[in-house]
Amino acid sequence: CIGSVYAWSLLNNPLEHELGVVAKAADDWGLMHVVPVLSAVLALQGLSAAVLGPWQDRVGPRASSMLGALFFGGGFMLGGLGVATHNLPLLYAGCGLLAGCGIGFSYVPPVAALLRWFPDRRGLASGMTIMGF
């Protein structure tokens, strides 16, 4: 589910035609308004995973994954509210900021666990985890 953010480009066209369903309305967002959401997600995924890595080692994968799921799900709900109210900053805060942090929180635990389970095949374990992410 968390890898679904990589399909963001499929949402660009519907977000561009949010108010005018068939043709663009005057107040519709342009592509330059909706594409930076994915950039924010990818940046915050890496930053949150790097910054919170030591914390994740202390609390364990269950707490980190739960926090990631809450941030990711809450971010998409907040982003949906931003789309429903045609509020671009709310879309950025929800789908960009919160969902990006949620992915970062949820990214590290499976990779770290598999690296511990397969110490002799670390490259293969991390590669398979990231491929399935």
Side-chain angles (χ1 to χ4, degrees):
C1 175
I2 288 182
S4 65
V5 76
Y6 296 113
W8 181 260
S9 61
L10 294 174
L11 299 176
N12 287 339
N13 195 28
L15 286 173
E16 285 185 90
H17 293 87
E18 183 211 351
L19 297 177
V21 177
V22 177
K24 289 187 89 161
D27 290 335
D28 272 340
W29 298 322
L31 190 60
M32 64 183 236
H33 296 106
V34 296
V35 168
V37 175
L38 181 61
S39 299
V41 166
L42 297 177
L44 287 166
Q45 171 188 352
L47 288 173
S48 64
V51 169
L52 292 174
W55 173 81
Q56 291 173 341
D57 285 338
R58 281 195 317 274
V59 300
R62 184 173 293 153
S64 180
S65 297
M66 185 57 120
L67 185 65
L70 290 173
F71 268 60
F72 184 76
F76 265 86
M77 285 192 281
L78 188 63
L81 182 63
V83 171
T85 60
H86 200 69
N87 187 336
L88 194 58
L90 204 56
L91 176 66
Y92 285 162
C95 287
L97 179 70
L98 286 178
C101 288
I103 294 171
F105 297 157
S106 300
Y107 185 78
V108 174
V111 174
L114 283 173
L115 290 179
R116 283 191 290 266
W117 293 348
F118 301 101
D120 56 332
R121 302 218 183 252
R122 295 171 62 88
L124 177 67
S126 63
M128 295 296 276
T129 305
I130 292 168
M131 180 184 70
F133 194 74

